[in-house]
Amino acid sequence: MRTLALLVAIFAALAVLPIGLRSDFWLNAVMLALFSALIGQSWNIAGGYAGQFSFGHALFFGLGGYAVAVLQVHLGINPWLGMAVGGALGAGAGAALGWLTFRYGLRGSYFALVTLAFAEVFRILANSVPFTGAGEGILIPLDPHPAMLQFRALSGYYWLLLGLTFACFLTVWWLERSRLGAQMQAVRDNEDAAAAVGVDAFTVKLKAMALSGLFMGLAGVFYTQRYLYLDPGLAFGPAQSVEALLVAIVGGIGTLFGPLLGAFALHLLAEAAQGVLGDVPGANMVIYGTVLVAMVLFLPRGLTSLRQGGRRRRRRRTKDA
Amino acid sequence: MLEVANLTKRFGGLVAVDGVNLSLPEGGISALIGPNGAGKTTLFALITGFHRPDGGSVRFLGRDLTGEKPFRIARAGMVRTFQIVQPFAGQTVRENIAVGAHMHLADRAEALAKAEDVARAVGLSDRLDRDAADLTVAGRKRLEVARALATDPKLLLLDEVMAGLNPSEIRDVIPVIRAIRDRGVTILLIEHVMQAVMELSDQAWVLNQGRLIAAGAPRALASDPAVIEAYLGHGMAERLAKGAAHA
């Protein structure tokens, strides 16, 4: 319960932020970090809790984004409905990709490569079919009304994003004290041992992928509505996949607060670096790479493991479960 | 309870399990013994679905479970442990056992409470909040048993739970296994520690080169010439008998 209280307190504090914060610059900076936290936590469900390292989470992101854009532009379907479709599509794609790969027993790096390949295939597809706008991308007409999932003020987008992120974190909080979550972690740590005590590893992994895909799809919907534009590179390119896993790994995979911590830490670092280096193109990627290597070498369990050392933290968590 | 008929498994040219027939009655403790490489662990893996048999059948409580998936066999009430212990490293002892308890309990709190009960039964109560990776070999073996026991199995297949333990640790584990039997769980164990086999089991099968070569009460098997030859080599039974006559 203490964990839940902390989670609610953090999100409540974030919710009142736009009221106190006059500058859109800073609000936007917090939004970027929150967005990373959302995709990081989505990835964390499959990667951190169920141990399925995907390099292609952009697949779900892009499907969600294109769902809301295409339905709106070509069929005139309201983006709120499009958001539901986008989420469902992300979840469905997660389950479908899981079904395909787990059926053939793909694990570890093989699984990672297949996910990467699928995202790339969809990038190429989106580039070639007409209804996605192909290489030119797809532009959503400006119509800044909440009914059209567009907002005049930045704070509208902010609260939308905060709501989605909170839903995602709440889901993970629930996972940590549910049978499904326990089975996911068991499958992650030892699939044979899990099967020996009756865990249906295949189904558990499918559920993890579907949940993960759901929130990644919703993130795609948000992104598209925020910028009212999507093209194949933005949607299915490796940037979102890498950011999602980076944030989770830096923060601490398989932990509730890891992605949040990782997202804010990375964005703070990126801002600071930009202050020092100016707008050197690609500088942030160099920094991300360095950080990732350093994390894996010196703090493989992420920033959250700094607090009291990983083991004692775990002990505490079981007690208040 | 468990009916194994003509079960066979080949790995390339090697016949690891060769037409094994055995019928395990409900209740009590039985043992499966035999020299290294006899196929005991493979037989366990075949029974519990971790390997797919090339021939023969496995029936449990009247149901045909041949070639079923391991998790379905576990849910049917036949649960194995691993000779090479497989803890969920990075999770506590309590969390490890709770995974087993979750087989029947959906609620997290109930599963954690059950884990505590089971830990008491196998003597792990004092280590509930330890990381499973930090346990000693003896502790990990107990954890294997605890996790399986938490699923409320009808038949428990224990694969060398005493291997690697020192004599005093073995003395401590024997009553734990007896207590599990007294709860009404049928037990089949693979064991090299003969002291344990003699003390625990009501009957035993001897496996050698994939074939069952003897069956019966453990004391009688210890003097069976076929068994002695399987362990010590061809002609040894005769020489031992001669030696005894000379003395």
Side-chain angles (χ1 to χ4, degrees):
Chain A
M1 278 300 123
R2 246 179 33 208
T3 320
L4 182 62
L6 181 61
L7 190 67
V8 171
I10 290 173
F11 276 88
L14 285 168
V16 297
L17 201 63
I19 300 165
L21 212 62
R22 293 261 157 69
S23 132
D24 268 3
F25 174 80
W26 285 108
L27 192 60
N28 197 48
V30 175
M31 268 177 80
L32 287 176
L34 260 183
F35 177 78
S36 296
L38 172 60
I39 61 174
Q41 188 69 283
S42 307
W43 184 90
N44 194 29
I45 295 173
Y49 285 93
Q52 306 305 310
F53 269 59
S54 150
F55 281 3
H57 257 51
L59 173 63
F60 318 130
F61 178 86
L63 284 173
Y66 272 119
V68 76
V70 169
L71 289 178
Q72 212 173 158
V73 172
H74 295 303
L75 303 170
I77 289 171
N78 183 282
W80 286 96
L81 195 63
M83 179 154 84
V85 174
L89 212 57
L97 182 60
W99 186 82
L100 262 176
T101 48
F102 303 143
R103 225 180 125 221
Y104 295 106
L106 296 185
R107 296 185 194 183
S109 39
Y110 297 99
F111 173 76
L113 282 175
V114 169
T115 56
L116 180 66
F118 266 90
E120 279 300 294
V121 165
F122 272 75
R123 189 177 63 79
I124 292 161
L125 276 178
N127 242 321
S128 0
V129 293
F131 64 86
T132 58
E136 275 174 37
I138 191 165
L139 204 64
I140 296 169
L142 188 70
D143 186 5
H145 292 99
M148 291 306 287
L149 207 54
Q150 294 182 25
F151 304 94
R152 234 174 258 286
L154 194 60
S155 53
Y157 287 110
Y158 178 85
W159 280 315
L160 174 65
L161 175 62
L162 194 72
L164 292 175
T165 312
F166 185 57
C168 184
F169 274 72
L170 214 54
T171 303
V172 171
W173 173 83
W174 166 80
L175 268 182
E176 282 201 341
R177 40 204 44 65
S178 72
R179 165 151 78 175
L180 179 59
Q183 292 182 334
M184 276 163 53
Q185 295 178 64
V187 168
R188 171 194 69 196
D189 290 340
N190 193 324
E191 206 169 314
D192 277 346
V197 290
V199 176
D200 179 359
F202 180 76
T203 309
V204 166
K205 288 194 286 186
L206 277 198
K207 286 180 181 168
M209 285 297 286
L211 265 180
S212 190
L214 166 70
F215 287 108
M216 203 68 191
L218 290 174
V221 171
F222 167 81
Y223 182 93
T224 308
Q225 288 299 118
R226 165 81 175 86
Y227 298 105
L228 298 176
Y229 174 74
L230 197 64
D231 71 23
L234 290 171
F236 297 114
Q240 304 296 352
S241 303
V242 170
E243 180 152 345
L245 68 94
L246 189 69
V247 157
I249 290 172
V250 168
I253 62 170
T255 65
L256 173 60
F257 291 108
L260 193 66
L261 207 60
F264 278 90
L266 273 178
H267 280 277
L268 209 65
L269 186 77
E271 285 298 323
Q274 205 168 33
V276 177
L277 297 170
D279 278 325
V280 182
N284 59 338
M285 281 295 151
V286 174
I287 290 161
Y288 281 0
T290 315
V291 168
L292 187 61
V293 170
M295 288 303 295
V296 171
L297 275 179
F298 302 113
L299 212 58
R301 298 177 69 170
L303 290 173
T304 46
S305 65
L306 284 175
R307 195 167 60 107
Q308 306 173 318
R311 245 160 231 150
R312 257 186 290 161
R313 181 191 56 74
R314 281 194 170 277
R315 223 171 288 169
R316 279 244 314 267
R317 201 182 72 201
T318 25
K319 259 188 214 148
D320 59 37
Chain B
M1 178 178 225
L2 174 68
E3 306 283 339
V4 173
N6 206 20
L7 206 60
T8 302
K9 177 72 185 176
R10 291 182 205 92
F11 294 114
L14 176 82
V15 188
V17 172
D18 190 358
V20 167
N21 291 290
L22 63 83
S23 166
L24 186 74
E26 192 163 349
I29 301 176
S30 309
L32 186 62
I33 59 176
N36 288 323
K40 303 181 296 293
T41 296
T42 307
L43 182 58
F44 262 29
L46 288 173
I47 293 173
T48 50
F50 283 85
H51 287 325
R52 197 170 266 280
D54 293 317
S57 69
V58 178
R59 295 181 70 81
F60 178 64
L61 296 172
R63 269 174 70 189
D64 185 5
L65 292 179
T66 319
E68 264 293 358
K69 292 210 172 73
F71 80 90
R72 287 198 198 284
I73 292 175
R75 286 181 191 178
M78 178 156 61
V79 180
R80 72 173 292 189
T81 66
F82 291 90
Q83 177 185 359
I84 300 159
V85 290
Q86 313 266 11
F88 302 128
Q91 300 189 36
T92 63
V93 169
R94 191 195 307 266
E95 288 168 326
N96 264 268
I97 305 175
V99 175
H102 268 308
M103 191 159 104
H104 295 301
L105 301 170
D107 186 76
R108 184 73 181 148
E110 281 176 32
L112 289 170
K114 166 121 196 184
E116 235 167 276
D117 289 345
V118 173
R120 202 168 307 126
V122 302
L124 278 175
S125 308
D126 54 332
R127 282 160 279 183
L128 272 168
D129 292 320
R130 273 233 221 129
D131 194 321
D134 293 348
L135 293 178
T136 59
V137 174
R140 288 183 199 198
K141 295 269 183 184
R142 281 177 195 239
L143 180 58
E144 278 286 318
V145 177
R147 212 167 47 195
L149 193 59
T151 66
D152 286 328
K154 296 184 183 81
L155 171 60
L156 190 56
L157 303 168
L158 301 177
D159 194 350
E160 295 209 29
V161 286
M162 286 172 233
L165 304 193
N166 66 39
S168 89
E169 287 167 338
I170 289 170
R171 262 200 310 280
D172 293 341
V173 172
I174 287 175
V176 170
I177 294 174
R178 278 216 187 95
I180 294 170
R181 174 198 62 194
D182 294 341
R183 288 170 154 214
V185 181
T186 310
I187 296 173
L188 176 61
L189 42 88
I190 291 179
E191 202 50 72
H192 274 303
V193 178
M194 281 306 149
Q195 172 207 355
V197 174
M198 295 296 167
E199 278 190 45
L200 282 170
S201 54
D202 312 315
Q203 57 170 335
W205 288 276
V206 185
L207 200 63
N208 186 37
Q209 296 181 348
R211 289 204 189 98
L212 279 185
I213 55 167
R219 300 244 168 246
L221 287 176
S223 50
D224 185 318
V227 177
I228 293 171
E229 299 212 340
Y231 274 93
L232 300 177
H234 184 65
M236 272 314 280
E238 208 177 323
R239 277 159 65 188
L240 279 176
K242 262 190 206 150
H246 278 297

